[in-house]
């Protein structure tokens, strides 16, 4: 009798404990899930692209029950006209058609086909620039050779002018020294003449005094 009462009670307690443990272990995951921020939705005025499907249908209103106006290819660049309504979004495609398409097929990032087209265009532009630079290379090399020759000519002219300047400076120094020597020679000659004149004058005066004494 006791076993019939105790066993069900233990089973009930174990089940409650298991449920409580499950809720405790799941609650952080649920909290983490609720705290994750969803990517911002596409708004009116944004530039966007059709994702990589074969094509999607364009409707006259925000729903599949509206009339189909045509289709738009994957990777097509579009302009968003209005915000999302009923999981549809209004766009204008590359042909200027205004219609509604499913929002899940619209993305801000270009699709693979669009990326491939952009990569091909970038490659063509790069190849064109390479070819242009390759065509200009002989001209640039000739211009470089001309500049090198002009530089050597100017360097030679500078060397010649420096040599001529040094020679001119040396000639001026020699001329100055020669003039100084000439002045010294004139001064010595004048001094010698003055000395001789003084001696002669002294002799004449001494003789005159001698004659006057007689």
């Amino acid at each position: 009798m006791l076993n019939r009462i105790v066993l069900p009670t233990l089973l009930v307690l174990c089940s409650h404990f298991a449920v409580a443990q499950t809720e405790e272990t799941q609650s952080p995951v649920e909290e983490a899930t609720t705290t994750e921020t969803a990517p911002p939705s596409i708004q009116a005025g944004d530039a966007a692209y059709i994702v990589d499907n074969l094509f999607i249908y364009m409707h006259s209103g925000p729903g599949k029950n509206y009339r189909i106006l045509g289709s738009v290819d994957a990777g097509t660049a579009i302009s968003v006209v209005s915000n999302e309504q009923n999981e549809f979004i209004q766009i204008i495609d590359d042909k200027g058609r205004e219609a509604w398409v499913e929002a899940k097929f619209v993305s801000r990032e270009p699709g693979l086909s669009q990326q491939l087209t952009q990569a091909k265009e970038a490659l063509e532009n790069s190849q064109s620039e390479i070819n242009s630079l390759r065509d200009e290379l002989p001209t640039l090399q000739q211009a470089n050779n001309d500049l090198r020759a002009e530089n050597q000519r100017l360097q030679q002219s500078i060397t010649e002018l420096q040599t001529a300047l040094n020679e001119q400076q040396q000639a001026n120094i020699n001329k100055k020294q020669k003039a100084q020597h000439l002045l010294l020679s004139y001064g010595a000659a004048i001094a010698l003449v003055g000395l001789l004149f003084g001696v002669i004058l002294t002799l004449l005066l001494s003789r005159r005094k001698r004659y006057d004494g007689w």
Side-chain angles (χ1 to χ4, degrees):
M1 183 68 179
L2 180 61
N3 292 334
R4 292 179 180 178
I5 298 174
V6 172
L7 288 176
T9 305
L10 290 175
L11 291 174
V12 171
L13 291 175
C14 289
S15 63
H16 282 296
F17 180 77
V19 170
Q21 288 294 106
T22 304
E23 290 177 352
E24 289 179 358
T25 56
Q26 288 180 351
S27 58
V29 177
E30 292 175 354
E31 291 178 0
T33 303
T34 55
T35 55
E36 291 180 355
T37 57
S41 59
I42 298 175
Q43 303 294 326
D46 291 344
Y49 300 88
I50 300 299
V51 297
D52 286 310
N53 289 320
L54 182 61
F55 65 89
I56 61 174
Y57 289 112
M58 304 170 65
H59 297 267
S60 60
K64 292 184 178 180
N65 55 332
Y66 287 89
R67 183 168 55 92
I68 295 177
L69 300 179
S71 63
V72 57
D73 294 331
T76 301
I78 59 174
S79 299
V80 178
V81 177
S82 66
N83 298 335
E84 182 177 341
Q85 298 182 28
N86 300 328
E87 298 182 353
F88 273 74
I89 194 166
Q90 191 177 16
I91 66 162
I92 297 177
D93 67 356
D94 58 340
K95 299 178 182 178
R97 297 177 298 176
E98 184 173 336
W100 293 80
V101 296
E102 291 185 74
K104 65 181 179 181
F105 295 125
V106 178
S107 171
R108 284 191 177 89
E109 300 298 328
L112 295 178
S113 60
Q114 186 71 15
Q115 294 180 22
L116 179 60
T117 301
Q118 293 176 354
K120 287 181 178 179
E121 291 177 354
L123 178 61
E124 290 177 358
N125 293 333
S126 299
Q127 189 63 42
S128 178
E129 292 180 1
I130 291 173
N131 294 335
S132 178
L133 292 175
R134 187 177 298 166
D135 293 338
E136 294 178 0
L137 184 60
T139 303
L140 294 175
Q141 288 178 342
Q142 183 61 39
N144 182 49
N145 294 334
D146 294 342
L147 289 175
R148 287 179 179 274
E150 181 67 16
N151 183 37
Q152 292 178 355
R153 187 185 66 79
L154 291 174
Q155 189 65 36
Q156 183 65 29
S157 298
I158 291 173
T159 303
E160 294 175 354
L161 290 172
Q162 186 65 44
T163 302
L165 179 61
N166 293 336
E167 292 176 354
Q168 182 66 34
Q169 290 176 347
Q170 186 63 38
N172 291 335
I173 292 173
N174 295 336
K175 185 177 181 180
K176 185 177 180 180
Q177 290 178 350
K178 185 176 180 180
Q180 289 176 351
H181 292 160
L182 185 60
L183 289 175
L184 290 175
S185 300
Y186 286 159
I190 292 173
L192 181 59
V193 170
L195 180 60
L196 293 174
F197 181 76
V199 171
I200 295 172
L201 183 60
T202 301
L203 292 174
L204 291 176
L205 290 175
S206 60
R207 284 185 179 182
R208 185 174 181 180
K209 288 181 179 179
R210 190 181 302 170
Y211 290 149
D212 290 341
W214 288 98

